[in-house]
Amino acid sequence: MTDTKPQALCIPEILSEIFDHLPNRADAASAATVCRTWTSIALNRVWQDLPSVFPLLELLGPLMYVDSRGWDFERGIPDVDFGRLSAYTSRIRSLRYSDQERWTGGYRQRISTDVSAKILYYVASHNGGHLLPSVRSIEWAVSKDEAVHQILPFFSTTLVGLDIKLGCDVTGRTTLDMLRTLSNVLPKDLKHFRFLPSMENETIDTELTSTLHRFQSLSILQTPYSALSADTLVRIGSSLQSLEVQYLLEDTEELEDLSVLFMETCPIIENIVLYVAWATQQEWEDHEHEHVPFRLLRPLLRCSNLIELQIDFVIPIHLEINDVRAIQQAWPELQVLHLSAKSFNPEFPGMPLSILSIFSAYWPAALRRLALFCSCDDVPATSTDQKYPLRDLEALGFGSALIDRSNIEPVIAYLQTLFRIRKLVANPLPWWGPESSPFEPFGEIMVDNPWRDVIDGVEVRSRKISGSQVLVASAPATGPEES
């Protein structure tokens, strides 16, 4: 009997969908050897998203590690056949690189400063063009001056997303040179731009603003707020769907002005992530016993497309019952809500834990991640009649809130009546920021920390609840009476 291959496995679109679900590049490489029908499609999966530049560099020639410089080409200028190389490089859609001195598989992941010039010379010697003619996204995180411009050989007119993070050793002069280069080489129809310099000053802000003005249809932006004047947001805000900024605050009332500006200039915004810090140490000391009222953020309620709002600050944001009701009504598609779930003042009480009951009653139907700073001292009584939780949460974050050991069981019982929680997160250190999240553990919770028992108790119970139970998906017509 002759084995016949199912016809579905000869359809490129179906094969591509299957190969996209393979767990790693090695499995896709194996699939490429099965038959000719699979080869090209499987190779697309192998090369389309590169976790580092090294698979690409190894195509150009053998590499050697030089202690003082990093990885370099063993034979000098690459001499590989350009046509054969293009069969692979034309498949690359995204590329990542970090120059951090870390060990991966026994090797430091840093390339020599000469590599960039050698690649540019090689490409120019083969009729110019682009090394990566189809690349769409580049992530470049570097900490030294000499590594910043190594990104240049990988640019292409097809680029739609650029993510650059400069470390603390990158000087202002190099940052300015990079911004001027970006203004000249980036396509005007770039969609995603993330640029985080190692420092902020007026000259860098001005140059970054000039770079932003070049883009005509930017939809995703992450940058220091100091480079975002009102005029800049008026120019680019109409197409923005995601905005992530770092903001130095002198007075909490500025948050209301900021909310008004976002509301007026970004009509279709869906994601807002705001990292706020006090501009000076004196402001920090003056406000350490305060909280931020949600009324300062109320202008954002008019951004009806919002699906994510994250406000990261060193003092908590306080919600009233009518605020929760307004959130449910204004943001029906809200999926992620994080309202400064941390405080550097361990004695700050936070919101009453009962605010979670209000959320459970006035529940945005799509909400799956919630992080608030709550006091766990006064735990509401739990209902003995309710057998199963009302809501399903992927993650519930309590930030840096404290809990007394005597309240472990009451808190577990209370949370279990409200939510089925896949992951409960408490962070003993309030130091997370742009590179971390209140929905992920930051720092290890010590064995004797009461939160460890709460997390274990809530998550174990949630896993035991049968998946066949129906969870309430929409909020009831009426909620608890306001007090």
Side-chain angles (χ1 to χ4, degrees), residues 57-98:
L57 297 182
E58 289 168 344
L59 286 177
L60 290 162
L63 299 175
M64 62 179 181
Y65 188 82
V66 181
D67 286 338
S68 60
R69 303 201 317 266
W71 290 96
D72 202 346
F73 295 115
E74 190 175 289
R75 301 171 184 167
I77 304 296
D79 59 359
V80 66
D81 179 80
F82 193 78
R84 179 177 177 275
L85 178 71
S86 298
Y88 297 96
T89 57
S90 62
R91 303 175 190 271
I92 297 174
R93 298 296 183 269
S94 68
L95 182 71
R96 300 174 183 84
Y97 174 66
S98 172

Side-chain angles (χ1 to χ4, degrees), residues 170-226:
V170 176
T171 63
R173 181 175 180 177
T174 298
T175 303
L176 286 171
D177 288 343
M178 188 69 220
L179 284 170
R180 289 164 184 154
T181 300
L182 295 178
S183 294
N184 291 323
V185 302
L186 289 180
K188 292 183 179 181
D189 57 351
L190 195 78
K191 302 297 183 185
H192 173 190
F193 185 61
R194 180 180 189 247
F195 190 89
L196 298 179
S198 59
M199 63 185 71
E200 296 180 29
N201 60 47
E202 187 174 347
T203 306
I204 291 176
D205 290 343
T206 301
E207 196 64 45
L208 181 51
T209 300
S210 176
T211 302
L212 292 175
H213 283 189
R214 172 182 174 81
F215 306 130
Q216 298 174 343
S217 55
L218 205 60
S219 61
I220 301 174
L221 175 63
Q222 182 178 1
T223 187
Y225 182 79
S226 53

Side-chain angles (χ1 to χ4, degrees), residues 330-450:
W331 300 327
E333 301 302 320
L334 188 70
Q335 299 176 16
V336 180
L337 181 64
H338 162 217
L339 296 178
S340 189
K342 65 182 177 184
S343 173
F344 282 81
N345 181 3
E347 299 179 358
F348 192 89
M351 284 181 286
L353 192 61
S354 59
I355 196 69
L356 295 178
S357 297
I358 310 303
F359 262 104
S360 181
Y362 300 107
W363 190 256
L367 189 62
R368 291 295 176 266
R369 292 185 167 212
L370 177 65
L372 303 171
F373 187 83
C374 296
S375 171
C376 297
D377 294 335
D378 187 11
V379 184
T382 57
S383 171
T384 57
D385 298 332
Q386 189 172 308
K387 187 176 182 181
Y388 300 120
L390 293 173
R391 310 293 178 186
D392 195 12
L393 270 177
E394 291 180 4
L396 176 63
F398 279 94
S400 58
L402 302 178
I403 182 174
D404 188 84
R405 185 161 291 279
S406 62
N407 283 326
I408 291 176
E409 290 303 324
V411 168
I412 292 175
Y414 174 64
L415 293 178
Q416 288 175 346
T417 63
L418 298 178
F419 310 113
R420 181 174 66 178
I421 304 167
R422 297 182 189 177
K423 180 163 63 175
L424 182 67
V425 181
N427 287 290
L429 300 174
W431 289 107
W432 68 87
E435 301 304 319
S436 53
S437 164
F439 302 112
E440 297 294 337
F442 184 78
E444 183 178 358
I445 297 180
M446 303 301 291
V447 175
D448 58 348
N449 190 311

